[in-house]
Amino acid sequence: MASVEMKNIVKKYGDGFPAVNDVSLDIADGEFMILVGPSGCGKSTLLRMVVGLEDITSGDMIIGGTRVNDKAPRERNLSMVFQNYALYPHLSVFENIAFPLRLAKTPEAEVQEKVRAAADVLELHEHLDRKPANLSGGQRQRVAMGRAIVRDADAFLFDEPLSNLDAKLRGQMRTEIARLQRRLGITTIYVTHDQTEAMTLGDRVCVLRRGVIQQVASPRELYEQP
Ligand code: ADP
Ligand code: ADP
């Protein structure tokens, strides 16, 4: 686990108006931070700069006290959960979850232990032998989260992870993500344009507009505003 500090982060694509314009935001160790705002406000760009998939034009990105501006994604111990899940269709649920451990050449006994522990938390233990094609959308989402969990990442990053799901599943997954994060206590940055997600999931909500932070507040503070 780690804190994430953004200091005066600017991102310019070409010579246009900055997509992210002087954003400073401190996310505490274990905190669940929502980034919300209309399409084009810079949410994904900001998240991609945390992961290292986008260069930072100016400012400092500090994860766990270390400046990471020049670190490649694989040198940052972060887990990103995508809306398309990015599962391997030819691998079983077990092997999909185990994938990062296999890459790291983790001993088999530890792989077994970690994957089964993650599957228990995610209630996937009955589906470990199945292929992703035979799972529901919500189950696939949980497999993607399982893969993130076994990596013992410093932080979870979510980019609109529920936007492909129908309303009922979205509600279930919302509950599930909130429960999991509380249980695991992992620093989380969660991008959404969904008001309900923003108001129910996070410890704090960061409202972006045209690349600028408009407000950072708890859901309660936002709710009680006139
Ligand atoms: P959001 O995730 O809030 O919808 P984005 O971060 O995707 O917003 O985009 C912020 C702004 O940056 C938008 O104006 C968008 O058009 C622009 N932008 C995003 N990615 C690129 C890119 N690769 N090249 C040029 N402009 C981009
Ligand atoms: P690994 O397979 O160990 O995750 P990668 O280099 O593939 O190593 O990925 C490093 C980090 O960057 C991971 O957190 C991964 O989720 C993220 N990542 C890799 N490729 C992409 C991508 N195209 N878009 C977003 N995140 C990515």
Side-chain angles (χ1 to χ4, degrees), residues 194-213:
D194 183 294
Q195 301 284 345
T196 313
E197 284 174 31
M199 295 303 272
T200 56
L201 274 176
D203 297 318
R204 284 193 296 160
V205 181
C206 173
V207 184
L208 287 166
R209 195 182 166 97
R210 305 194 67 200
V212 174
I213 293 182

Side-chain angles (χ1 to χ4, degrees), residues 13 19 37-46 54 159-160 191:
Y13 292 106
S39 178
C41 71
K43 308 183 289 294
S44 298
T45 298
L46 200 51
E54 207 75 74
D159 194 357
E160 309 237 5
V191 163

Side-chain angles (χ1 to χ4, degrees), residues 151-210:
R151 289 180 55 180
D152 293 328
D154 285 336
F156 281 172
L157 309 176
F158 291 90
D159 194 357
E160 309 237 5
L162 308 185
S163 55
N164 287 343
L165 307 179
D166 65 44
K168 180 157 170 264
L169 250 180
R170 204 179 307 135
Q172 286 172 7
M173 290 309 298
R174 206 165 52 222
T175 312
E176 194 145 4
I177 289 172
R179 185 176 63 97
L180 258 178
Q181 199 270 350
R182 245 144 241 154
R183 196 151 152 187
L184 300 169
I186 291 184
T187 312
T188 302
I189 309 179
Y190 188 105
V191 163
T192 184
H193 64 264
D194 183 294
Q195 301 284 345
T196 313
E197 284 174 31
M199 295 303 272
T200 56
L201 274 176
D203 297 318
R204 284 193 296 160
V205 181
C206 173
V207 184
L208 287 166
R209 195 182 166 97
R210 305 194 67 200

Side-chain angles (χ1 to χ4, degrees), residues 1-4 27-31 50 62-66 68 71 75-80 148-149 151-157 181 184-189:
M1 285 205 293
S3 59
V4 177
I27 303 169
D29 199 346
E31 187 172 26
V50 177
I62 297 163
I63 300 177
T66 304
V68 298
K71 289 196 178 192
E75 299 175 290
R76 306 180 189 194
N77 186 27
L78 305 172
S79 264
M80 183 122 169
I149 290 171
R151 289 180 55 180
D152 293 328
D154 285 336
F156 281 172
L157 309 176
Q181 199 270 350
L184 300 169
I186 291 184
T187 312
T188 302
I189 309 179

